[in-house]
Amino acid sequence: MDALGWLIFLVALLVSVMLHETGHFVAAKRFGMKCTRYFIGFGPTLWSTWRGETEYGIKALPFGGFVKIVGMTSIDEVEPEDEPRSFRRAPGWQRLIVLAAGSFMHFVLAAVLIFAVA
């Protein structure tokens, strides 16, 4: 595969990862959970900016992404004022929707691509 093919593949992969993480992020925000970080990639931070209570950014290694939601596990340290907005305090059905929202975005992407090609 030539350089242009690799570049197209990398961009498509990053868009897919971005949409996946956006699914988690939007669902969590809709349910009032506190999201402190939204990053594409892993490793050292190349660029980031703050908007409200969330830091958005790009990391050096384009192998995935993540959204940091306060209180994702029971061992996470959570400030007392943030506890009501933590993931672990949300009802089970809301946590399930937040977890499934990333995968749901892949179905949305597939539908958009199918209609675009058709």
Side-chain angles (χ1 to χ4, degrees):
M1 194 182 299
D2 61 350
L4 180 60
W6 280 107
L7 181 63
I8 291 169
F9 171 75
L10 184 61
V11 169
L13 181 64
L14 290 176
V15 167
S16 178
V17 167
M18 185 181 70
L19 289 173
H20 177 93
E21 297 305 329
T22 298
H24 294 307
F25 180 78
V26 169
K29 291 297 255 185
R30 289 279 182 178
F31 291 129
M33 297 174 195
K34 184 174 183 179
C35 301
T36 56
R37 302 180 87 200
Y38 175 100
F39 275 81
I40 301 301
F42 298 111
T45 300
L46 298 177
W47 171 85
S48 73
T49 186
W50 284 87
R51 298 260 162 81
E53 64 190 12
T54 306
E55 180 183 17
Y56 300 86
I58 299 172
K59 300 271 189 176
L61 303 172
F63 303 129
F66 64 94
V67 173
K68 172 66 175 141
I69 304 170
V70 170
M72 281 292 289
T73 68
S74 59
I75 61 171
D76 283 352
E77 296 281 331
V78 177
E79 298 293 326
E81 65 270 9
D82 291 336
E83 187 63 38
R85 296 183 58 207
S86 69
F87 180 83
R88 64 184 175 213
R89 291 288 181 197
W93 65 273
Q94 288 181 355
R95 292 188 308 232
L96 184 62
I97 289 172
V98 169
L99 294 174
S103 296
F104 176 75
M105 289 301 287
H106 293 294
F107 291 106
V108 171
L109 176 62
V112 166
L113 290 174
I114 287 170
F115 285 111
V117 170

